[in-house]
Amino acid sequence: MNIVYFGSSSILVLIISNFLFPLNAQIKFKANVESGYYNSAGSSIIEQNELFTSLDGQIGYKYDGENRNANFNLRLRPEFYGFNNQMQTIKFRVDGAYTQNEDGFNWGVRLNRQRYSFGGNNIDLVFDSFNLIFDSDLFFITDNPISINAGYGYQNISNDTQQNLDNYFFDGRIYQILSQFTKIGAGIYIEKFSVSGNSIFPYQDFQNKNNGWRFGPQLNFNYLKDAIINLDYRFMFHSSELTNNPSYEQWVRLVAGKLLSEKWSAFILVDFYFRNFNLNQIGENNLNLLYTPMDFENRIYLKLGYELNEIFGLYIRTGYFKENLVNDKFSYSGWNVLLGIEAGN
């Protein structure tokens, strides 16, 4: 993993950011360590009942001005499964964003780069991805803001085969403001993708590219008052050279939380991706060219936190997890109970 490259880039970005945005700027940090028990099923990547430990460190820069804001965040998360380290993962991510506020609309740009490495007795796998996204928010219609995002992304997966994904996407939504604290939204998502790769099996009808589209409606609900509720749902028709109709995907994410008292808080996270691909004959012989989503983690987590002071906190987290790494060839699922301590400003 090219940590040195990102490290030098982050220093350069921080220097430039401090030069461009010297006022109202903050250096943000967050770190936590958690450990506990997990029980799993699936392929033989990890043991079924073992110890899980992870470290998570983040450092970022945030600027808020009168009509513009910017932020930059660097995150590193190593994870260890089992007493004998049946598997180790290193998750590395860089995010940056700039937003300009104009009369009646906002515009901005975001980028992220992430590299996930999985290594162990039965796995040697690397995900490397990048996204460049252009954002705009329009406020010309009273109580009906419009959000438009468009961009480009790529993903490279390296194991015993190689897969490369390029995609161009459009995300448009219109919102209805129900109250000062509540809004709902609906829109459409469209993506054009191309998957290329190779196979270790010399099939007669082997091909090295799969082109296709993903498109469909999406819904959103957001509430922010005495509790936080954010729900996103997306249904996508999937059309490609390897699939027949009907083929589809679904994605749902729920983030909800509430302060129970001055010290206690409770949160729930639900993040799930489902798909039903109706493969044709070429698809059956070219599974390495099937679309692999950039966000492959399925999870349901409950978190109960206690704030020790303004910097330190304790929490217990439990829930279900499923990692669909490559077409279910590398996958594992189960549940865990973890105890953690976190620090941040």
Side-chain angles (χ1 to χ4, degrees), residues 87-241:
M87 185 176 72
Q88 314 87 39
T89 72
I90 299 179
K91 299 181 178 180
F92 185 72
R93 182 180 174 106
V94 177
D95 293 273
Y98 173 82
T99 303
Q100 182 78 33
N101 304 321
E102 308 288 354
D103 292 335
F105 70 97
N106 301 334
W107 63 269
V109 60
R110 291 179 285 141
L111 60 86
N112 64 68
R113 178 73 183 271
Q114 57 187 13
R115 183 180 174 91
Y116 290 178
S117 299
F118 299 80
N121 297 331
N122 301 303
I123 184 173
D124 184 10
L125 182 66
V126 176
F127 282 77
D128 194 352
S129 66
F130 169 82
N131 285 286
L132 175 63
I133 307 167
F134 297 94
D135 301 317
S136 61
D137 296 304
L138 311 178
F139 306 103
F140 299 117
I141 305 176
T142 303
D143 294 334
N144 295 111
I146 297 174
S147 174
I148 298 175
N149 308 313
Y152 164 77
Y154 83 79
Q155 177 177 261
N156 174 267
I157 303 175
S158 301
N159 59 321
D160 52 1
T161 62
Q162 190 86 8
Q163 185 189 94
N164 299 290
L165 167 69
D166 289 274
N167 63 354
Y168 298 88
F169 51 88
F170 172 86
D171 184 335
R173 309 184 191 195
I174 183 169
Y175 292 91
Q176 174 66 53
I177 298 178
L178 302 178
S179 71
Q180 181 181 356
F181 313 103
T182 309
K183 66 178 181 180
I184 58 174
I188 188 170
Y189 179 84
I190 304 172
E191 177 183 325
K192 184 180 187 301
F193 68 85
S194 177
V195 181
S196 60
N198 53 57
S199 174
I200 60 175
F201 302 107
Y203 292 116
Q204 184 177 358
D205 54 357
F206 166 74
Q207 62 184 62
N208 57 16
K209 184 167 287 190
N210 174 32
N211 298 311
W213 291 84
R214 306 165 75 220
F215 57 94
Q218 54 187 356
L219 301 172
N220 171 265
F221 174 81
N222 183 269
Y223 174 83
L224 177 60
K225 188 181 179 182
D226 52 348
I228 299 172
I229 302 174
N230 190 79
L231 175 64
D232 287 287
Y233 173 76
R234 181 180 293 168
F235 182 94
M236 291 168 288
F237 296 98
H238 187 102
S239 175
S240 76
E241 298 175 17

Side-chain angles (χ1 to χ4, degrees), residues 35-48:
S35 184
Y37 169 86
Y38 74 85
N39 178 278
S40 69
S43 59
S44 58
I45 297 176
I46 57 178
E47 296 293 335
Q48 291 186 345

